[in-house]
Amino acid sequence: MPGQFSESARPIGAPEIGVPPAGAFIGSTRSAGRRRRRNDWRLGGRAVEKWDSRVLAVAFVGVGAGVLGAGVVNVLLPATPILSTLALWSGLIAATAFAFIRARPAGLMRIRPTDLLWGLGFGLMLRALQGWVSGSDAAAFPSTSSTAGASWWLTTLLPAGFLGPLVEEFFFRAVLVVTIYQVMRRSVGQVAAAATALLVSAGVFVVLHGTRGALLLNDGLMLFGVGAACGLLVLLTGRLWGAVLLHVVYNLSYLTLVVIGMALA
C-alpha cells in the first residue's frame, strides 16, 4: 500500500520497529549491577578501592604517632590524663580523616533501625558478661572519689561515654576493618579477608588500650570481645553505626553504675 513502511525498505542495520537494539538488555543489566554494587562496599566499587595499602599504612602511622604523643604528654604533664587521651586520639582522627577524604565507601554510613537493636542488645549483653567474668555482679556498685565533682563529667563521662567510642569505632571498625577486607578480598577470598580484618582490628584495639595501663587477663579478653563484636556487626551489615552504638552502650552502662554508686555513697 502507498505510504506503508515495508520490511524491505528498512535501512540495513537499523533496528526493527518496537524491538530493542541487540545488547540493550545486557547493557541495562550490567548498569543495574553496577548500581547495586555501589550500594555496598563489601562488593567492591570505585570508592572503596581507594581505601588501599596507603590508607592502611597511614592508619598504622597514626596509631604509632598517637601512642608516642600520649607517652610524651604523660611524661611532661602526668597530672592531666585527658591531654594524653587527646594526643592519642589525634593520631586516630588524622588517619580516619585521610581515609574519608580519599573516598567514602558505599553504604558504610547508612543507619537502619536494626542497627539500633543490634548495638543496644550486644552492648548490654557484653556488659553483663563482663560483670559475670569479673565477679562484679556480686559486688557493690562501682564508685569514684567524691572529690571528683563536676570535673568527672567532663574528664570521664564525656570522653569515655561518647567521644571515645566514636573516635575508636571510626578508626578500628571503619578504617581498619574495611581497608583490610578490601585489600585482601580478591587475593584470599571474602571469608579469610573478613576473619583477618576482624582479628587484626580487635587485636590492635586491645593493644592500644594496653598502652594506657596494665590490663588483667579478663579485661583484655573482654576488650577483644567488644572489638570482635563491633567488627562482626560492620562485616555482617556493611554499616558502622551499630558498632558505634554497641561501644557507647557498653561504656555508658558501666558509667551509669558508677553514677549510682556515687549517689549511694
Side-chain angles (χ1 to χ4, degrees), residues 157-222:
L157 181 63
L158 182 61
F162 298 99
L163 298 181
L166 193 64
V167 171
E168 292 174 1
E169 291 309 311
F170 265 79
F171 177 80
F172 288 104
R173 256 58 71 175
V175 176
L176 278 192
V177 167
V178 174
T179 305
I180 292 173
Y181 179 85
Q182 154 65 17
V183 169
M184 299 184 64
R185 179 175 62 90
R186 292 182 178 177
S187 59
V188 301
Q190 295 179 349
V191 175
T196 303
L198 188 150
L199 293 174
V200 170
S201 66
V204 177
F205 181 67
V206 175
V207 171
L208 190 68
H209 281 78
T211 63
R212 310 294 294 160
L215 292 176
L216 298 176
L217 177 61
N218 60 345
D219 293 331
L221 291 175
M222 284 307 306

Short mmCIF file of all heavy atoms in Angstrom, two decimals, residues 157-222:
data_model
loop_
_atom_site.label_atom_id
_atom_site.label_comp_id
_atom_site.label_asym_id
_atom_site.label_seq_id
_atom_site.Cartn_x
_atom_site.Cartn_y
_atom_site.Cartn_z
N LEU A 157 33.08 11.01 81.88
CA LEU A 157 31.82 10.62 81.25
C LEU A 157 31.78 10.97 79.76
O LEU A 157 31.47 10.12 78.93
CB LEU A 157 30.65 11.29 81.97
CG LEU A 157 29.26 10.94 81.41
CD1 LEU A 157 28.97 9.47 81.55
CD2 LEU A 157 28.18 11.77 82.09
N LEU A 158 32.11 12.20 79.43
CA LEU A 158 32.04 12.62 78.03
C LEU A 158 33.06 11.89 77.15
O LEU A 158 32.69 11.36 76.10
CB LEU A 158 32.23 14.14 77.93
CG LEU A 158 32.12 14.74 76.52
CD1 LEU A 158 30.75 14.49 75.93
CD2 LEU A 158 32.41 16.24 76.57
N PRO A 159 34.35 11.82 77.55
CA PRO A 159 35.31 11.10 76.70
C PRO A 159 35.02 9.61 76.59
O PRO A 159 35.01 9.05 75.49
CB PRO A 159 36.66 11.36 77.38
CG PRO A 159 36.44 12.57 78.22
CD PRO A 159 35.02 12.50 78.67
N ALA A 160 34.79 8.95 77.73
CA ALA A 160 34.62 7.50 77.70
C ALA A 160 33.25 7.08 77.20
O ALA A 160 33.10 6.03 76.57
CB ALA A 160 34.85 6.94 79.11
N GLY A 161 32.24 7.90 77.49
CA GLY A 161 30.89 7.51 77.12
C GLY A 161 30.52 7.81 75.69
O GLY A 161 29.72 7.07 75.08
N PHE A 162 31.07 8.88 75.12
CA PHE A 162 30.63 9.29 73.78
C PHE A 162 31.79 9.50 72.80
O PHE A 162 31.81 8.91 71.72
CB PHE A 162 29.80 10.58 73.88
CG PHE A 162 28.55 10.41 74.70
CD1 PHE A 162 28.50 10.83 76.03
CD2 PHE A 162 27.41 9.82 74.15
CE1 PHE A 162 27.36 10.66 76.78
CE2 PHE A 162 26.27 9.66 74.90
CZ PHE A 162 26.23 10.08 76.22
N LEU A 163 32.74 10.35 73.17
CA LEU A 163 33.80 10.70 72.23
C LEU A 163 34.70 9.51 71.92
O LEU A 163 35.04 9.27 70.76
CB LEU A 163 34.63 11.87 72.78
CG LEU A 163 33.87 13.18 73.00
CD1 LEU A 163 34.81 14.25 73.53
CD2 LEU A 163 33.22 13.65 71.71
N GLY A 164 35.09 8.78 72.95
CA GLY A 164 35.97 7.63 72.76
C GLY A 164 35.38 6.58 71.82
O GLY A 164 36.04 6.17 70.85
N PRO A 165 34.15 6.12 72.07
CA PRO A 165 33.56 5.15 71.14
C PRO A 165 33.46 5.66 69.71
O PRO A 165 33.68 4.90 68.77
CB PRO A 165 32.16 4.92 71.74
CG PRO A 165 32.34 5.17 73.20
CD PRO A 165 33.34 6.28 73.29
N LEU A 166 33.15 6.95 69.55
CA LEU A 166 33.02 7.49 68.20
C LEU A 166 34.37 7.50 67.48
O LEU A 166 34.48 7.02 66.34
CB LEU A 166 32.46 8.91 68.28
CG LEU A 166 31.97 9.53 66.97
CD1 LEU A 166 30.79 8.75 66.42
CD2 LEU A 166 31.59 10.99 67.18
N VAL A 167 35.41 8.02 68.14
CA VAL A 167 36.74 8.07 67.52
C VAL A 167 37.26 6.67 67.24
O VAL A 167 37.76 6.38 66.14
CB VAL A 167 37.72 8.83 68.43
CG1 VAL A 167 39.15 8.71 67.91
CG2 VAL A 167 37.33 10.30 68.54
N GLU A 168 37.13 5.77 68.21
CA GLU A 168 37.70 4.44 68.07
C GLU A 168 36.97 3.59 67.05
O GLU A 168 37.60 2.85 66.29
CB GLU A 168 37.72 3.74 69.44
CG GLU A 168 38.70 4.39 70.41
CD GLU A 168 38.62 3.82 71.81
OE1 GLU A 168 37.80 2.88 72.03
OE2 GLU A 168 39.36 4.29 72.69
N GLU A 169 35.65 3.68 66.99
CA GLU A 169 34.92 2.88 66.01
C GLU A 169 35.16 3.37 64.59
O GLU A 169 35.25 2.56 63.67
CB GLU A 169 33.42 2.88 66.34
CG GLU A 169 33.08 2.11 67.60
CD GLU A 169 33.69 0.72 67.62
OE1 GLU A 169 33.54 -0.02 66.62
OE2 GLU A 169 34.33 0.37 68.63
N PHE A 170 35.26 4.67 64.41
CA PHE A 170 35.57 5.17 63.07
C PHE A 170 36.95 4.70 62.62
O PHE A 170 37.16 4.39 61.44
CB PHE A 170 35.49 6.70 63.03
CG PHE A 170 34.17 7.22 62.56
CD1 PHE A 170 33.08 7.25 63.42
CD2 PHE A 170 34.00 7.65 61.26
CE1 PHE A 170 31.85 7.71 62.99
CE2 PHE A 170 32.78 8.11 60.81
CZ PHE A 170 31.68 8.14 61.68
N PHE A 171 37.89 4.63 63.55
CA PHE A 171 39.23 4.18 63.17
C PHE A 171 39.31 2.66 63.05
O PHE A 171 39.70 2.14 62.00
CB PHE A 171 40.27 4.66 64.18
CG PHE A 171 41.66 4.17 63.88
CD1 PHE A 171 42.43 4.79 62.92
CD2 PHE A 171 42.19 3.07 64.54
CE1 PHE A 171 43.71 4.33 62.61
CE2 PHE A 171 43.45 2.59 64.25
CZ PHE A 171 44.21 3.23 63.28
N PHE A 172 38.94 1.94 64.11
CA PHE A 172 39.14 0.49 64.13
C PHE A 172 38.16 -0.25 63.23
O PHE A 172 38.55 -1.17 62.51
CB PHE A 172 39.02 -0.04 65.57
CG PHE A 172 40.18 0.33 66.44
CD1 PHE A 172 40.05 1.34 67.38
CD2 PHE A 172 41.39 -0.31 66.31
CE1 PHE A 172 41.12 1.70 68.18
CE2 PHE A 172 42.47 0.04 67.10
CZ PHE A 172 42.34 1.05 68.05
N ARG A 173 36.89 0.11 63.29
CA ARG A 173 35.90 -0.66 62.54
C ARG A 173 35.58 -0.08 61.18
O ARG A 173 35.16 -0.81 60.29
CB ARG A 173 34.62 -0.78 63.37
CG ARG A 173 34.47 -2.15 63.99
CD ARG A 173 35.62 -2.54 64.91
NE ARG A 173 35.67 -1.81 66.15
CZ ARG A 173 36.53 -2.05 67.12
NH1 ARG A 173 37.46 -2.98 66.98
NH2 ARG A 173 36.51 -1.34 68.23
N ALA A 174 35.79 1.22 60.97
CA ALA A 174 35.62 1.75 59.62
C ALA A 174 36.92 1.61 58.85
O ALA A 174 37.02 0.84 57.90
CB ALA A 174 35.16 3.21 59.67
N VAL A 175 37.96 2.31 59.29
CA VAL A 175 39.19 2.34 58.51
C VAL A 175 39.89 0.99 58.49
O VAL A 175 40.18 0.45 57.42
CB VAL A 175 40.14 3.43 59.06
CG1 VAL A 175 41.46 3.41 58.31
CG2 VAL A 175 39.49 4.81 58.92
N LEU A 176 40.18 0.40 59.65
CA LEU A 176 40.94 -0.84 59.67
C LEU A 176 40.16 -2.01 59.07
O LEU A 176 40.66 -2.72 58.19
CB LEU A 176 41.37 -1.18 61.10
CG LEU A 176 42.62 -0.49 61.63
CD1 LEU A 176 43.07 -1.15 62.93
CD2 LEU A 176 43.76 -0.53 60.62
N VAL A 177 38.95 -2.25 59.54
CA VAL A 177 38.19 -3.40 59.06
C VAL A 177 37.93 -3.30 57.55
O VAL A 177 38.18 -4.25 56.80
CB VAL A 177 36.86 -3.55 59.83
CG1 VAL A 177 35.93 -4.53 59.13
CG2 VAL A 177 37.13 -4.03 61.25
N VAL A 178 37.44 -2.16 57.12
CA VAL A 178 37.08 -2.00 55.71
C VAL A 178 38.32 -2.09 54.81
O VAL A 178 38.32 -2.75 53.78
CB VAL A 178 36.33 -0.69 55.48
CG1 VAL A 178 36.10 -0.45 53.99
CG2 VAL A 178 35.00 -0.70 56.21
N THR A 179 39.40 -1.43 55.22
CA THR A 179 40.60 -1.40 54.39
C THR A 179 41.25 -2.78 54.30
O THR A 179 41.64 -3.23 53.22
CB THR A 179 41.62 -0.38 54.92
OG1 THR A 179 41.00 0.90 55.02
CG2 THR A 179 42.81 -0.28 53.99
N ILE A 180 41.39 -3.46 55.43
CA ILE A 180 42.00 -4.80 55.40
C ILE A 180 41.14 -5.74 54.55
O ILE A 180 41.67 -6.52 53.74
CB ILE A 180 42.17 -5.34 56.83
CG1 ILE A 180 43.22 -4.52 57.58
CG2 ILE A 180 42.59 -6.82 56.81
CD1 ILE A 180 43.34 -4.86 59.05
N TYR A 181 39.83 -5.69 54.72
CA TYR A 181 38.95 -6.53 53.92
C TYR A 181 39.09 -6.21 52.44
O TYR A 181 39.18 -7.11 51.59
CB TYR A 181 37.51 -6.32 54.37
CG TYR A 181 36.50 -7.14 53.59
CD1 TYR A 181 36.22 -8.45 53.94
CD2 TYR A 181 35.83 -6.59 52.49
CE1 TYR A 181 35.30 -9.20 53.22
CE2 TYR A 181 34.91 -7.33 51.77
CZ TYR A 181 34.64 -8.63 52.14
OH TYR A 181 33.75 -9.36 51.41
N GLN A 182 39.12 -4.92 52.10
CA GLN A 182 39.23 -4.51 50.71
C GLN A 182 40.55 -4.95 50.09
O GLN A 182 40.59 -5.44 48.96
CB GLN A 182 39.06 -2.98 50.62
CG GLN A 182 39.73 -2.31 49.44
CD GLN A 182 39.15 -2.72 48.10
OE1 GLN A 182 38.05 -3.26 48.04
NE2 GLN A 182 39.90 -2.47 47.04
N VAL A 183 41.64 -4.78 50.82
CA VAL A 183 42.96 -5.12 50.29
C VAL A 183 43.11 -6.62 50.07
O VAL A 183 43.73 -7.06 49.10
CB VAL A 183 44.06 -4.59 51.24
CG1 VAL A 183 45.42 -5.15 50.86
CG2 VAL A 183 44.09 -3.06 51.21
N MET A 184 42.50 -7.44 50.95
CA MET A 184 42.71 -8.89 50.90
C MET A 184 41.61 -9.66 50.18
O MET A 184 41.80 -10.85 49.87
CB MET A 184 42.84 -9.43 52.33
CG MET A 184 43.99 -8.86 53.12
SD MET A 184 44.14 -9.64 54.74
CE MET A 184 44.52 -11.33 54.27
N ARG A 185 40.49 -9.04 49.91
CA ARG A 185 39.31 -9.77 49.41
C ARG A 185 39.58 -10.55 48.14
O ARG A 185 39.22 -11.73 48.04
CB ARG A 185 38.16 -8.79 49.19
CG ARG A 185 36.88 -9.40 48.65
CD ARG A 185 35.78 -8.35 48.59
NE ARG A 185 36.12 -7.28 47.69
CZ ARG A 185 35.82 -7.26 46.38
NH1 ARG A 185 35.15 -8.28 45.86
NH2 ARG A 185 36.15 -6.24 45.62
N ARG A 186 40.22 -9.96 47.18
CA ARG A 186 40.42 -10.63 45.90
C ARG A 186 41.51 -11.68 45.95
O ARG A 186 41.48 -12.65 45.20
CB ARG A 186 40.75 -9.60 44.81
CG ARG A 186 39.57 -8.68 44.48
CD ARG A 186 39.92 -7.72 43.37
NE ARG A 186 38.79 -6.88 43.01
CZ ARG A 186 38.83 -5.91 42.11
NH1 ARG A 186 39.97 -5.66 41.47
NH2 ARG A 186 37.75 -5.20 41.84
N SER A 187 42.48 -11.52 46.82
CA SER A 187 43.61 -12.45 46.86
C SER A 187 43.34 -13.69 47.70
O SER A 187 43.79 -14.79 47.35
CB SER A 187 44.87 -11.75 47.36
OG SER A 187 44.65 -11.22 48.67
N VAL A 188 42.61 -13.56 48.81
CA VAL A 188 42.41 -14.71 49.70
C VAL A 188 40.95 -15.10 49.84
O VAL A 188 40.64 -16.12 50.47
CB VAL A 188 43.00 -14.42 51.10
CG1 VAL A 188 44.48 -14.12 51.01
CG2 VAL A 188 42.27 -13.27 51.79
N GLY A 189 40.03 -14.31 49.28
CA GLY A 189 38.61 -14.62 49.40
C GLY A 189 37.94 -13.82 50.50
O GLY A 189 38.60 -13.28 51.40
N GLN A 190 36.61 -13.77 50.42
CA GLN A 190 35.85 -12.93 51.34
C GLN A 190 35.93 -13.41 52.79
O GLN A 190 36.08 -12.60 53.71
CB GLN A 190 34.39 -12.87 50.88
CG GLN A 190 34.19 -12.19 49.54
CD GLN A 190 32.74 -12.17 49.12
OE1 GLN A 190 31.90 -12.83 49.72
NE2 GLN A 190 32.44 -11.43 48.06
N VAL A 191 35.83 -14.72 53.00
CA VAL A 191 35.80 -15.24 54.38
C VAL A 191 37.14 -14.98 55.07
O VAL A 191 37.19 -14.49 56.20
CB VAL A 191 35.47 -16.74 54.38
CG1 VAL A 191 35.57 -17.31 55.79
CG2 VAL A 191 34.07 -16.97 53.82
N ALA A 192 38.24 -15.33 54.41
CA ALA A 192 39.56 -15.13 55.01
C ALA A 192 39.85 -13.65 55.22
O ALA A 192 40.43 -13.25 56.23
CB ALA A 192 40.63 -15.76 54.13
N ALA A 193 39.44 -12.81 54.26
CA ALA A 193 39.65 -11.37 54.40
C ALA A 193 38.86 -10.82 55.58
O ALA A 193 39.37 -9.99 56.35
CB ALA A 193 39.26 -10.66 53.11
N ALA A 194 37.61 -11.26 55.73
CA ALA A 194 36.78 -10.79 56.85
C ALA A 194 37.35 -11.24 58.19
O ALA A 194 37.40 -10.46 59.15
CB ALA A 194 35.35 -11.30 56.67
N ALA A 195 37.80 -12.50 58.27
CA ALA A 195 38.37 -13.02 59.52
C ALA A 195 39.63 -12.24 59.89
O ALA A 195 39.84 -11.89 61.06
CB ALA A 195 38.66 -14.50 59.39
N THR A 196 40.48 -11.98 58.91
CA THR A 196 41.71 -11.23 59.17
C THR A 196 41.41 -9.81 59.62
O THR A 196 42.00 -9.32 60.59
CB THR A 196 42.59 -11.19 57.90
OG1 THR A 196 42.86 -12.53 57.48
CG2 THR A 196 43.90 -10.47 58.17
N ALA A 197 40.48 -9.16 58.94
CA ALA A 197 40.11 -7.79 59.31
C ALA A 197 39.57 -7.75 60.73
O ALA A 197 39.91 -6.84 61.52
CB ALA A 197 39.08 -7.24 58.33
N LEU A 198 38.73 -8.71 61.08
CA LEU A 198 38.13 -8.74 62.41
C LEU A 198 39.21 -8.96 63.48
O LEU A 198 39.25 -8.25 64.49
CB LEU A 198 37.07 -9.83 62.47
CG LEU A 198 36.20 -9.91 63.73
CD1 LEU A 198 34.82 -10.46 63.38
CD2 LEU A 198 36.84 -10.82 64.78
N LEU A 199 40.08 -9.94 63.27
CA LEU A 199 41.09 -10.27 64.28
C LEU A 199 42.12 -9.16 64.44
O LEU A 199 42.51 -8.82 65.57
CB LEU A 199 41.78 -11.58 63.91
CG LEU A 199 40.91 -12.85 63.97
CD1 LEU A 199 41.67 -14.04 63.43
CD2 LEU A 199 40.43 -13.11 65.39
N VAL A 200 42.56 -8.58 63.33
CA VAL A 200 43.56 -7.52 63.42
C VAL A 200 42.99 -6.29 64.12
O VAL A 200 43.62 -5.71 65.01
CB VAL A 200 44.08 -7.14 62.01
CG1 VAL A 200 44.94 -5.88 62.07
CG2 VAL A 200 44.88 -8.29 61.42
N SER A 201 41.78 -5.88 63.73
CA SER A 201 41.20 -4.68 64.35
C SER A 201 40.95 -4.89 65.83
O SER A 201 41.21 -3.99 66.65
CB SER A 201 39.90 -4.30 63.64
OG SER A 201 38.90 -5.28 63.83
N ALA A 202 40.46 -6.07 66.21
CA ALA A 202 40.21 -6.35 67.63
C ALA A 202 41.52 -6.45 68.40
O ALA A 202 41.62 -5.97 69.55
CB ALA A 202 39.41 -7.64 67.78
N GLY A 203 42.55 -7.06 67.79
CA GLY A 203 43.84 -7.18 68.46
C GLY A 203 44.50 -5.83 68.69
O GLY A 203 45.01 -5.55 69.79
N VAL A 204 44.50 -4.98 67.66
CA VAL A 204 45.10 -3.64 67.81
C VAL A 204 44.30 -2.82 68.82
O VAL A 204 44.86 -2.02 69.58
CB VAL A 204 45.16 -2.93 66.45
CG1 VAL A 204 45.72 -1.51 66.61
CG2 VAL A 204 46.03 -3.72 65.48
N PHE A 205 42.99 -3.04 68.87
CA PHE A 205 42.12 -2.37 69.84
C PHE A 205 42.56 -2.69 71.27
O PHE A 205 42.66 -1.80 72.12
CB PHE A 205 40.68 -2.83 69.59
CG PHE A 205 39.65 -2.21 70.48
CD1 PHE A 205 39.35 -0.87 70.42
CD2 PHE A 205 38.94 -3.01 71.38
CE1 PHE A 205 38.37 -0.31 71.23
CE2 PHE A 205 37.96 -2.46 72.20
CZ PHE A 205 37.69 -1.11 72.13
N VAL A 206 42.86 -3.97 71.53
CA VAL A 206 43.32 -4.37 72.86
C VAL A 206 44.69 -3.78 73.16
O VAL A 206 44.94 -3.25 74.25
CB VAL A 206 43.35 -5.91 72.97
CG1 VAL A 206 43.95 -6.34 74.31
CG2 VAL A 206 41.96 -6.49 72.81
N VAL A 207 45.60 -3.88 72.19
CA VAL A 207 46.97 -3.38 72.39
C VAL A 207 46.95 -1.88 72.69
O VAL A 207 47.68 -1.40 73.57
CB VAL A 207 47.83 -3.67 71.15
CG1 VAL A 207 49.18 -2.96 71.25
CG2 VAL A 207 48.04 -5.18 71.00
N LEU A 208 46.11 -1.15 71.97
CA LEU A 208 46.04 0.30 72.19
C LEU A 208 45.57 0.61 73.61
O LEU A 208 46.10 1.51 74.26
CB LEU A 208 45.11 0.94 71.17
CG LEU A 208 45.12 2.47 71.14
CD1 LEU A 208 46.47 2.97 70.61
CD2 LEU A 208 44.00 3.01 70.28
N HIS A 209 44.58 -0.13 74.09
CA HIS A 209 44.13 0.09 75.47
C HIS A 209 45.19 -0.35 76.48
O HIS A 209 45.26 0.20 77.57
CB HIS A 209 42.82 -0.67 75.72
CG HIS A 209 41.62 0.02 75.16
ND1 HIS A 209 41.29 -0.02 73.82
CD2 HIS A 209 40.65 0.79 75.75
CE1 HIS A 209 40.19 0.67 73.61
NE2 HIS A 209 39.79 1.19 74.76
N GLY A 210 46.01 -1.32 76.09
CA GLY A 210 47.08 -1.75 76.97
C GLY A 210 48.15 -0.70 77.16
O GLY A 210 48.87 -0.70 78.17
N THR A 211 48.29 0.21 76.21
CA THR A 211 49.27 1.28 76.36
C THR A 211 48.85 2.30 77.40
O THR A 211 49.66 3.10 77.85
CB THR A 211 49.50 2.01 75.02
OG1 THR A 211 48.27 2.65 74.60
CG2 THR A 211 49.95 1.03 73.94
N ARG A 212 47.57 2.27 77.78
CA ARG A 212 47.07 3.23 78.77
C ARG A 212 47.26 2.75 80.19
O ARG A 212 47.03 3.48 81.14
CB ARG A 212 45.57 3.48 78.54
CG ARG A 212 45.20 3.82 77.10
CD ARG A 212 45.79 5.14 76.67
NE ARG A 212 45.22 6.25 77.39
CZ ARG A 212 45.79 7.44 77.51
NH1 ARG A 212 46.97 7.66 76.97
NH2 ARG A 212 45.19 8.39 78.16
N GLY A 213 47.68 1.50 80.35
CA GLY A 213 47.87 0.92 81.67
C GLY A 213 47.79 -0.59 81.59
O GLY A 213 47.31 -1.14 80.60
N ALA A 214 48.28 -1.26 82.63
CA ALA A 214 48.30 -2.71 82.63
C ALA A 214 46.87 -3.26 82.59
O ALA A 214 45.96 -2.74 83.25
CB ALA A 214 49.02 -3.22 83.88
N LEU A 215 46.68 -4.33 81.80
CA LEU A 215 45.37 -4.98 81.68
C LEU A 215 45.40 -6.35 82.33
O LEU A 215 46.34 -7.12 82.13
CB LEU A 215 44.99 -5.14 80.20
CG LEU A 215 44.68 -3.88 79.39
CD1 LEU A 215 44.43 -4.25 77.94
CD2 LEU A 215 43.47 -3.16 79.97
N LEU A 216 44.37 -6.64 83.12
CA LEU A 216 44.19 -8.00 83.60
C LEU A 216 43.73 -8.88 82.46
O LEU A 216 43.23 -8.40 81.43
CB LEU A 216 43.16 -8.02 84.74
CG LEU A 216 43.51 -7.20 86.00
CD1 LEU A 216 42.35 -7.24 86.98
CD2 LEU A 216 44.79 -7.72 86.63
N LEU A 217 43.89 -10.19 82.63
CA LEU A 217 43.54 -11.12 81.56
C LEU A 217 42.07 -11.00 81.18
O LEU A 217 41.74 -10.92 79.98
CB LEU A 217 43.85 -12.56 81.99
CG LEU A 217 43.45 -13.65 80.97
CD1 LEU A 217 44.19 -13.46 79.66
CD2 LEU A 217 43.72 -15.03 81.55
N ASN A 218 41.19 -10.94 82.18
CA ASN A 218 39.76 -10.85 81.84
C ASN A 218 39.41 -9.53 81.18
O ASN A 218 38.54 -9.47 80.31
CB ASN A 218 38.90 -11.08 83.09
CG ASN A 218 39.17 -10.07 84.18
OD1 ASN A 218 40.18 -9.36 84.14
ND2 ASN A 218 38.30 -10.00 85.17
N ASP A 219 40.13 -8.45 81.55
CA ASP A 219 39.89 -7.17 80.89
C ASP A 219 40.33 -7.22 79.43
O ASP A 219 39.62 -6.71 78.54
CB ASP A 219 40.66 -6.05 81.61
CG ASP A 219 40.12 -5.79 83.01
OD1 ASP A 219 38.90 -6.02 83.22
OD2 ASP A 219 40.90 -5.36 83.88
N GLY A 220 41.49 -7.84 79.18
CA GLY A 220 41.95 -7.98 77.81
C GLY A 220 41.01 -8.83 76.96
O GLY A 220 40.72 -8.49 75.80
N LEU A 221 40.50 -9.91 77.56
CA LEU A 221 39.57 -10.76 76.82
C LEU A 221 38.27 -10.02 76.52
O LEU A 221 37.71 -10.17 75.42
CB LEU A 221 39.28 -12.03 77.63
CG LEU A 221 40.45 -13.01 77.77
CD1 LEU A 221 40.07 -14.17 78.69
CD2 LEU A 221 40.88 -13.54 76.40
N MET A 222 37.78 -9.24 77.47
CA MET A 222 36.54 -8.52 77.22
C MET A 222 36.73 -7.42 76.17
O MET A 222 35.87 -7.20 75.33
CB MET A 222 36.02 -7.90 78.52
CG MET A 222 35.36 -8.90 79.46
SD MET A 222 34.06 -9.90 78.69
CE MET A 222 32.99 -8.64 78.00
#
